[in-house]
Amino acid sequence: MPIKINLRFHELPDYHFLDQGILLWLRRIITTVSFATPDGWSQPRPAIVDTGSYACLIPQSIWKESLVKMLSSTTFNLHGLIRKSKDVLPVYLGEITCVILDDIQVSPPISLKSYLALEDDCPLLLGFEGILSSHKLICDYPNKAAYFEIYP
């Protein structure tokens, strides 16, 4: 039987178009995640559920405090993230364990192959590898409902 973890929507108007009288909403699906650390579990943090990301992206301050299995010994440049000051983000590839939670449920531990950023100037993203590739995402935006079905 799957565990249902409720997700939230984050919505903001695109201010670039508001001055032109056009209302365009920027919408994201948000969940809460906690990472395995040497002392237990990290403080819960909001994360963007990103269906366009190949893998998870973890900012440095989060993965440095977590239990990580490094999968690459050298960094590589990740492209495609919107960043004002740079066009690439240097990352390692690693494996990290998390739980996804809401106000009622906590998932079993989930192992994620993740891009481990060398800085904090990036969002915490949950992409396909480990999350969306293994668990069901249900999104019914017109009814403001979204959730993961996590299979233990």
Side-chain angles (χ1 to χ4, degrees), residues 92-135:
Y92 287 106
L93 183 64
E95 197 164 350
I96 193 166
T97 300
C98 76
V99 292
I100 299 172
L101 55 140
D102 62 19
D103 292 337
I104 300 167
Q105 299 280 358
V106 177
S107 75
I110 300 169
S111 179
L112 309 171
K113 288 187 183 85
S114 302
Y115 298 125
L116 307 173
L118 295 182
E119 55 188 74
D120 284 334
D121 188 21
C122 64
L124 173 56
L125 301 178
L126 298 184
F128 260 90
E129 183 62 38
I131 298 287
L132 298 171
S133 61
S134 304
H135 306 285

Side-chain angles (χ1 to χ4, degrees), residues 13-24:
D14 186 334
Y15 296 109
H16 176 76
F17 294 108
L18 275 181
D19 61 355
Q20 300 173 44
I22 300 168
L23 180 59
L24 174 66

